Amino acid sequence: MDLQQYLDFLNQGKHIRAGSQVHQYMHVASQQALKLTAELNGSYHTPKEVRSIFEKIIGKPVDESFGLFPPFYTDCGKNITVGKHVFINMGCKFQDQGGIFIDDGALIGHNVVLATLNHDFEPVSRPNMTPEPIHIGKNVWIGANAVILPGVMVGDGAIIAAGAVVNRNVPKDTVVGGVPAKIIKTI
């Protein structure tokens, strides 16, 4: 299996059986991501150097307007797509096997977790996983310590309050907060 076959499988949302060829490749991809995030997080880098290392992590170019304050963590990296004028603050953790798509102008606060994998509910099959993408719309603001779960789409202009746990789609121009996140108001 190569990277493209792996990503194609993940992006189809197919069930990942523990011990399968896909699961084994997941561990290979994780080791590469860990190496690159250690490089990113291990010492000071200029903004240009940060962008360069981030491009290696995700395997594609990012716009010069992209900003990231390390540390940043991912256990895959290759299924992240970011638009222009995106800013990711310190301590964020992206579990991107299911795909993370961040549109133009999104601001992501400290320690935000974006998780795209779910394990099976049944104990005997719990090591198995299912990937689902996360889509962050244009000009979204995600507050510190928020968690966005698999399959969630956050509409353009929405605000995710600090500490929220988002387990369902967020309409555009809406503020959500709480655990689980609920609509607070529209903008």
Side-chain angles (χ1 to χ4, degrees):
M1 172 165 281
D2 65 18
L3 177 61
Q4 192 56 55
Q5 291 170 319
Y6 173 66
L7 292 174
D8 290 345
F9 185 94
L10 293 174
N11 291 332
Q12 292 175 34
K14 291 182 178 179
H15 195 69
I16 302 165
R17 290 181 39 87
S20 68
Q21 183 180 18
V22 173
H23 190 238
Q24 291 172 12
Y25 192 88
M26 184 182 290
H27 289 284
V28 171
S30 293
Q31 292 306 305
Q32 294 169 352
L34 292 171
K35 181 179 179 184
L36 289 168
T37 55
E39 178 185 345
L40 175 68
N41 300 333
S43 64
Y44 172 77
H45 301 283
T46 66
K48 184 177 180 179
E49 291 167 336
V50 167
R51 280 192 304 277
S52 176
I53 297 168
F54 190 78
E55 288 176 339
K56 290 177 192 173
I57 291 169
I58 69 171
K60 56 190 94 134
V62 295
D63 191 77
E64 288 185 17
S65 62
F66 171 78
L68 169 71
F69 285 175
F72 170 80
Y73 304 95
T74 182
D75 57 357
C76 178
K78 298 300 190 233
N79 216 0
I80 299 171
T81 303
V82 295
K84 296 178 181 180
H85 303 284
V86 168
F87 177 71
I88 301 170
N89 220 323
M90 290 186 231
C92 290
K93 298 168 183 75
F94 289 10
Q95 180 195 50
D96 61 290
Q97 287 85 348
I100 294 175
F101 305 91
I102 304 170
D103 214 333
D104 297 345
L107 303 174
I108 301 178
H110 290 87
N111 301 314
V112 166
V113 174
L114 303 180
T116 66
L117 286 176
N118 267 327
H119 287 275
D120 283 0
F121 284 3
E122 293 297 321
V124 296
S125 58
R126 193 152 297 148
N128 299 332
M129 296 165 274
T130 303
E132 291 183 79
I134 292 173
H135 294 266
I136 308 298
K138 291 181 181 175
N139 302 310
V140 167
W141 174 21
I142 303 174
N145 296 304
V147 176
I148 300 180
L149 298 176
V152 169
M153 295 182 73
V154 180
D156 294 349
I159 298 173
I160 310 300
V165 176
V166 184
N167 64 352
R168 63 186 65 144
N169 293 345
V170 177
K172 70 178 191 160
D173 300 323
T174 302
V175 179
V176 299
V179 180
K182 293 180 176 34
I183 294 175
I184 297 171
K185 67 179 181 177
T186 57
I187 302 170

PDB file of all heavy atoms in Angstrom, residues 150-162:
ATOM      1  N   PRO A 150     -15.809  13.595  14.679  1.00  0.00           N
ATOM      2  CA  PRO A 150     -15.899  13.118  13.297  1.00  0.00           C
ATOM      3  C   PRO A 150     -17.221  13.455  12.615  1.00  0.00           C
ATOM      4  O   PRO A 150     -18.285  13.371  13.224  1.00  0.00           O
ATOM      5  CB  PRO A 150     -15.747  11.599  13.440  1.00  0.00           C
ATOM      6  CG  PRO A 150     -15.002  11.392  14.702  1.00  0.00           C
ATOM      7  CD  PRO A 150     -15.466  12.501  15.606  1.00  0.00           C
ATOM      8  N   GLY A 151     -17.107  13.823  11.336  1.00  0.00           N
ATOM      9  CA  GLY A 151     -18.280  14.055  10.512  1.00  0.00           C
ATOM     10  C   GLY A 151     -18.918  15.422  10.627  1.00  0.00           C
ATOM     11  O   GLY A 151     -19.921  15.696   9.971  1.00  0.00           O
ATOM     12  N   VAL A 152     -18.350  16.314  11.431  1.00  0.00           N
ATOM     13  CA  VAL A 152     -18.957  17.625  11.668  1.00  0.00           C
ATOM     14  C   VAL A 152     -18.590  18.609  10.564  1.00  0.00           C
ATOM     15  O   VAL A 152     -17.435  18.674  10.130  1.00  0.00           O
ATOM     16  CB  VAL A 152     -18.533  18.180  13.047  1.00  0.00           C
ATOM     17  CG1 VAL A 152     -18.924  19.638  13.210  1.00  0.00           C
ATOM     18  CG2 VAL A 152     -19.132  17.338  14.160  1.00  0.00           C
ATOM     19  N   MET A 153     -19.580  19.376  10.144  1.00  0.00           N
ATOM     20  CA  MET A 153     -19.372  20.491   9.213  1.00  0.00           C
ATOM     21  C   MET A 153     -19.717  21.773   9.962  1.00  0.00           C
ATOM     22  O   MET A 153     -20.803  21.886  10.523  1.00  0.00           O
ATOM     23  CB  MET A 153     -20.268  20.348   7.986  1.00  0.00           C
ATOM     24  CG  MET A 153     -19.932  19.128   7.148  1.00  0.00           C
ATOM     25  SD  MET A 153     -20.946  18.988   5.667  1.00  0.00           S
ATOM     26  CE  MET A 153     -20.243  20.299   4.689  1.00  0.00           C
ATOM     27  N   VAL A 154     -18.769  22.717   9.985  1.00  0.00           N
ATOM     28  CA  VAL A 154     -18.986  24.007  10.632  1.00  0.00           C
ATOM     29  C   VAL A 154     -19.196  25.036   9.524  1.00  0.00           C
ATOM     30  O   VAL A 154     -18.308  25.260   8.703  1.00  0.00           O
ATOM     31  CB  VAL A 154     -17.794  24.392  11.530  1.00  0.00           C
ATOM     32  CG1 VAL A 154     -18.038  25.742  12.185  1.00  0.00           C
ATOM     33  CG2 VAL A 154     -17.541  23.311  12.580  1.00  0.00           C
ATOM     34  N   GLY A 155     -20.366  25.661   9.516  1.00  0.00           N
ATOM     35  CA  GLY A 155     -20.729  26.586   8.454  1.00  0.00           C
ATOM     36  C   GLY A 155     -19.930  27.876   8.481  1.00  0.00           C
ATOM     37  O   GLY A 155     -19.392  28.286   9.526  1.00  0.00           O
ATOM     38  N   ASP A 156     -19.892  28.548   7.335  1.00  0.00           N
ATOM     39  CA  ASP A 156     -19.170  29.814   7.190  1.00  0.00           C
ATOM     40  C   ASP A 156     -19.584  30.806   8.276  1.00  0.00           C
ATOM     41  O   ASP A 156     -20.766  30.940   8.594  1.00  0.00           O
ATOM     42  CB  ASP A 156     -19.458  30.437   5.828  1.00  0.00           C
ATOM     43  CG  ASP A 156     -18.914  29.636   4.656  1.00  0.00           C
ATOM     44  OD1 ASP A 156     -18.128  28.696   4.872  1.00  0.00           O
ATOM     45  OD2 ASP A 156     -19.286  29.963   3.511  1.00  0.00           O
ATOM     46  N   GLY A 157     -18.590  31.493   8.834  1.00  0.00           N
ATOM     47  CA  GLY A 157     -18.842  32.560   9.791  1.00  0.00           C
ATOM     48  C   GLY A 157     -19.235  32.119  11.184  1.00  0.00           C
ATOM     49  O   GLY A 157     -19.479  32.958  12.052  1.00  0.00           O
ATOM     50  N   ALA A 158     -19.305  30.826  11.444  1.00  0.00           N
ATOM     51  CA  ALA A 158     -19.713  30.324  12.758  1.00  0.00           C
ATOM     52  C   ALA A 158     -18.615  30.565  13.795  1.00  0.00           C
ATOM     53  O   ALA A 158     -17.437  30.735  13.459  1.00  0.00           O
ATOM     54  CB  ALA A 158     -20.045  28.842  12.681  1.00  0.00           C
ATOM     55  N   ILE A 159     -19.020  30.564  15.058  1.00  0.00           N
ATOM     56  CA  ILE A 159     -18.102  30.677  16.197  1.00  0.00           C
ATOM     57  C   ILE A 159     -18.345  29.486  17.107  1.00  0.00           C
ATOM     58  O   ILE A 159     -19.489  29.209  17.497  1.00  0.00           O
ATOM     59  CB  ILE A 159     -18.308  31.989  16.976  1.00  0.00           C
ATOM     60  CG1 ILE A 159     -18.017  33.198  16.085  1.00  0.00           C
ATOM     61  CG2 ILE A 159     -17.433  32.003  18.230  1.00  0.00           C
ATOM     62  CD1 ILE A 159     -18.349  34.535  16.732  1.00  0.00           C
ATOM     63  N   ILE A 160     -17.265  28.790  17.448  1.00  0.00           N
ATOM     64  CA  ILE A 160     -17.307  27.684  18.402  1.00  0.00           C
ATOM     65  C   ILE A 160     -16.720  28.215  19.703  1.00  0.00           C
ATOM     66  O   ILE A 160     -15.553  28.609  19.747  1.00  0.00           O
ATOM     67  CB  ILE A 160     -16.476  26.470  17.916  1.00  0.00           C
ATOM     68  CG1 ILE A 160     -16.822  26.076  16.479  1.00  0.00           C
ATOM     69  CG2 ILE A 160     -16.609  25.315  18.888  1.00  0.00           C
ATOM     70  CD1 ILE A 160     -18.244  25.673  16.224  1.00  0.00           C
ATOM     71  N   ALA A 161     -17.528  28.253  20.763  1.00  0.00           N
ATOM     72  CA  ALA A 161     -17.073  28.803  22.043  1.00  0.00           C
ATOM     73  C   ALA A 161     -15.952  27.952  22.635  1.00  0.00           C
ATOM     74  O   ALA A 161     -15.863  26.743  22.382  1.00  0.00           O
ATOM     75  CB  ALA A 161     -18.243  28.877  23.019  1.00  0.00           C
ATOM     76  N   ALA A 162     -15.126  28.595  23.432  1.00  0.00           N
ATOM     77  CA  ALA A 162     -14.043  27.895  24.115  1.00  0.00           C
ATOM     78  C   ALA A 162     -14.600  26.738  24.923  1.00  0.00           C
ATOM     79  O   ALA A 162     -15.630  26.867  25.590  1.00  0.00           O
ATOM     80  CB  ALA A 162     -13.289  28.863  25.021  1.00  0.00           C
TER      81      ALA A 162
END
